[in-house]
Amino acid sequence: MSATETLPGAAGAAGGRRAFTGQVTQGRVLRSEWTKLWSLRSTRWSLLFAVISMAGLGVLIAAVSMGRWSHLSPGDRANFNAIDRSLGGYHLAQLAIGVLGVLVISGEYSTGMIRSSLMAVPRRLPVLWAKIAVFASVTFVLMLVSALVAFFGAQAILTEHHVNVTLSHPHALRTLVGTVLFMTVTGILCVALGTIVRSTAGAIATFAGLLFVLPGIVDILPSEIGDSISPYLPSSAGGAIAAAVPDAHTLAPWSGFALYCSYTIVLLAIAAYLLVRRDA
């Protein structure tokens, strides 16, 4: 066989490659991002931690509360909030969701895979929208199922002392759905942070600073200053919708969530601009 002849297998492979070529569409980018998300071991572990935290902690808190019921003061019993107790696991679950949101894109920067992704999708922004759509959908579905398990599991335990409620109870459905929405938007916010910072450690530190450290700093300020700033912090604004009875110093649930979404949209706009303007 001469050097210019073509092997049948090579011709078939070349033909196969030509068969799979075509226009880059948002649907194809979505499928690619879905595959990349579930191919990472960190995805499975982070989501498992989030699900266990969301579904399990509420049930555990309810069991502990019923076990200590006789030790609670009359005031604590009167103010017992069955809704917040059952959904309290979101405080820990949001940490796993936020870290995974950062890793969704910062992991590609750390390995250099982002270059391949942007070469395959030269317009770049479809990659960002696909990552957000896939991760937000997965987060919403898993956290909704986990929240329902936590709520109904905890209420079954709280029947021991007849302090259980149903989803038709005032604020119950809004709190459950609001908790899921808050964690979903938190995941989107962290994808934006990962795009902006491009460093896993730096983006996670920024996320922790915004949602966990900054509120603590504001709390040590004089009360008149802290009370005027606290409602507008990302964690306070977003968390208002996840509380059955919001704190007196926070915004109304849907107003706070709208502000939290506004913060996320601003970060997304910055992330989109930098993704287009900067070199990979």
Side-chain angles (χ1 to χ4, degrees):
M1 179 182 292
S2 67
T4 59
E5 289 181 304
T6 304
L7 291 170
R17 284 195 295 271
R18 284 195 297 271
F20 285 102
T21 59
Q23 183 181 3
V24 176
T25 65
Q26 189 67 63
R28 289 176 175 175
V29 180
L30 282 167
R31 287 195 295 272
S32 172
E33 292 303 327
W34 174 267
T35 301
K36 283 193 285 185
L37 178 66
W38 290 108
S39 66
L40 297 174
R41 186 178 300 174
S42 58
T43 297
R44 295 187 287 272
W45 284 110
S46 297
L47 291 178
L48 178 62
F49 182 83
V51 167
I52 292 175
S53 299
M54 186 70 239
L57 278 182
V59 174
L60 178 61
I61 292 170
V64 171
S65 298
M66 292 300 93
R68 299 189 66 258
W69 188 257
S70 60
H71 300 285
L72 298 180
S73 67
D76 290 336
R77 295 184 187 182
N79 294 321
F80 186 86
N81 191 315
I83 302 172
D84 286 341
R85 295 294 178 99
S86 62
L87 298 173
Y90 89 87
H91 293 285
L92 188 57
Q94 69 172 322
L95 180 61
I97 294 298
V99 169
L100 183 57
V102 167
L103 287 171
V104 162
I105 191 163
S106 68
E108 290 198 39
Y109 278 107
S110 63
T111 61
M113 185 183 292
I114 192 66
R115 298 186 184 92
S116 300
S117 297
L118 298 183
M119 285 177 64
V121 189
R123 291 171 57 194
R124 296 194 174 194
L125 287 183
V127 174
L128 180 60
W129 306 145
K131 287 182 182 294
I132 289 170
V134 169
F135 184 58
S137 299
V138 169
T139 299
F140 181 84
V141 171
L142 288 180
M143 291 301 99
L144 179 59
V145 173
S146 301
L148 288 170
V149 170
F151 182 83
F152 288 112
Q155 301 314 315
I157 294 173
L158 296 178
T159 57
E160 180 180 347
H161 291 285
H162 310 290
V163 291
N164 58 299
V165 299
T166 65
L167 275 180
S168 61
H169 189 84
H171 310 301
L173 183 60
R174 187 266 302 161
T175 305
L176 189 149
V177 175
T179 299
V180 176
L181 290 174
F182 172 59
M183 287 194 288
T184 302
V185 176
T186 297
I188 297 172
L189 181 145
C190 288
V191 174
L193 285 176
T195 308
I196 294 169
V197 180
R198 301 200 292 186
S199 163
T200 298
I204 291 176
T206 304
F207 157 63
L210 284 175
L211 268 69
F212 299 103
V213 178
L214 188 58
I217 294 174
V218 172
D219 283 344
I220 65 177
L221 296 175
S223 58
E224 63 273 12
I225 299 176
D227 290 345
S228 62
I229 296 175
S230 181
Y232 303 98
L233 296 178
S235 58
S236 300
I241 199 173
V245 182
D247 187 86
H249 299 295
T250 60
L251 300 174
W254 289 108
S255 298
F257 182 66
L259 179 59
Y260 190 58
C261 289
S262 299
Y263 290 148
T264 303
I265 290 171
V266 170
L267 288 175
L268 273 178
I270 296 172
Y273 175 79
L274 292 177
L275 183 64
V276 171
R277 299 291 295 178
R278 292 189 302 200
D279 293 333

